[in-house]
Amino acid sequence: MSVGKFITVEGIEGTGKSTNLDFVTGLIQSHGYEVHRTREPGGTPMAENIRQLLLDNGQETVPPIAELLLFFASRSLHLENTIKPALEAGRWVLCDRFTDATRAYQGVGRGLGLDRVEHLADWVLQGLEPNLTLLLDAPAEVGLERVRARGECDRMDNEALAFYQRVRDAYLSLADAYPTRFAIIDASQPLDGVQAEIEAVMRPYFDHN
């Protein structure tokens, strides 16, 4: 049985990930493939419990290094219990964020450094990276304005503008470093333009699967 494709969707807050994950799910299904949609942190019952620890606005401060380790603990559960079995069964996996988010948010945004992130990534991922990463990109001030307009914010939504600017810059640097895996999508344009770009980027993956 052939191994499925692994597609991730990345971007700072307010870039329309949820809406476009719906679109990509339908696009994959329309080409006759079974898709398992998941998210990080989360994706398994135990990993979802870790997600609550990471995102809740609790009374206890979460140090950056604890945040980093929790993300990778969640990711290890997610990989072994959800992502790898789905790929090995021939399903496509569509994931809302993956290790690139940790590189951008914790490695650069929190200032922990990419060396620490890559050390953990080597250990946990064992070489597994997405076939395609769709980076929904918009200026940090645009994303932050959209998030604030939604109302309720989780712990990761409550950072200053400078934090999201660092994260956005980190994502763009990753896209430059891995151009064959990343596709930058202009998420500041109207939705139909965003989805036209996504469909054009994904077409070769359907043609050559």
Side-chain angles (χ1 to χ4, degrees), residues 2-8 28 33-36 83 86-95 128-132 202 204-209:
S2 63
V3 174
K5 293 282 192 291
F6 183 21
I7 312 294
T8 56
I28 295 170
Y33 301 109
E34 185 179 355
V35 58
H36 180 88
I83 294 175
L87 292 173
E88 289 165 2
R91 293 191 291 275
W92 287 44
V93 174
L94 176 62
C95 192
L128 178 67
E129 291 285 358
N131 298 100
L132 171 66
M202 293 194 66
Y205 291 85
F206 302 128
D207 291 345
H208 296 103
N209 193 55

Side-chain angles (χ1 to χ4, degrees), residues 3 22 27 30 33 37 50 59 72 90 92 95 124 130 137-138 144 187 191 197 207:
V3 174
D22 290 341
L27 188 61
S30 73
Y33 301 109
R37 179 168 161 179
I50 296 173
Q59 295 181 346
F72 271 105
W92 287 44
C95 192
V124 172
D137 177 61
L144 196 55
L191 182 59
E197 282 192 28
D207 291 345

Side-chain angles (χ1 to χ4, degrees), residues 2-208:
S2 63
V3 174
K5 293 282 192 291
F6 183 21
I7 312 294
T8 56
V9 178
E10 298 278 0
I12 63 170
E13 281 72 6
T15 53
K17 286 190 297 88
S18 296
T19 298
N20 287 296
L21 281 157
D22 290 341
F23 174 74
V24 175
T25 299
L27 188 61
I28 295 170
Q29 291 172 334
S30 73
H31 283 81
Y33 301 109
E34 185 179 355
V35 58
H36 180 88
R37 179 168 161 179
T38 188
R39 67 180 182 177
E40 289 215 344
T44 77
M46 287 182 65
E48 290 290 332
N49 289 337
I50 296 173
R51 180 186 180 89
Q52 291 302 116
L53 293 174
L54 282 162
L55 299 186
D56 279 358
N57 290 302
Q59 295 181 346
E60 186 173 359
T61 299
V62 181
I65 192 67
E67 184 178 272
L68 174 66
L69 293 171
L70 285 168
F71 270 108
F72 271 105
S74 171
R75 184 163 297 130
S76 178
L77 290 162
H78 192 202
L79 272 173
E80 297 303 321
N81 297 332
T82 295
I83 294 175
K84 287 182 180 179
L87 292 173
E88 289 165 2
R91 293 191 291 275
W92 287 44
V93 174
L94 176 62
C95 192
D96 180 353
R97 294 196 172 131
F98 193 59
T99 312
D100 293 309
T102 308
R103 293 172 174 126
Y105 279 80
Q106 283 72 48
V108 176
R110 299 288 192 219
L112 291 174
L114 289 176
D115 287 346
R116 282 178 172 170
V117 175
E118 294 305 335
H119 179 74
L120 290 168
D122 288 344
W123 192 18
V124 172
L125 303 185
Q126 298 292 306
L128 178 67
E129 291 285 358
N131 298 100
L132 171 66
T133 297
L134 298 167
L135 174 58
L136 299 176
D137 177 61
E141 55 270 21
V142 172
L144 196 55
E145 183 179 343
R146 291 173 178 173
V147 169
R148 300 289 191 258
R150 287 200 307 246
E152 291 187 15
C153 296
D154 62 39
R155 191 179 66 86
M156 297 297 291
D157 292 333
N158 287 323
E159 299 293 336
L161 177 60
F163 175 82
Y164 298 112
Q165 289 172 330
R166 291 195 300 273
V167 173
R168 184 201 182 198
D169 290 344
Y171 269 132
L172 292 173
S173 294
L174 288 167
D176 286 341
Y178 303 101
T180 59
R181 175 166 68 82
F182 270 84
I184 301 174
I185 308 296
D186 178 6
S188 64
Q189 64 182 314
L191 182 59
D192 57 351
V194 172
Q195 295 182 343
E197 282 192 28
I198 291 172
E199 187 166 8
V201 165
M202 293 194 66
R203 192 173 299 125
Y205 291 85
F206 302 128
D207 291 345
H208 296 103

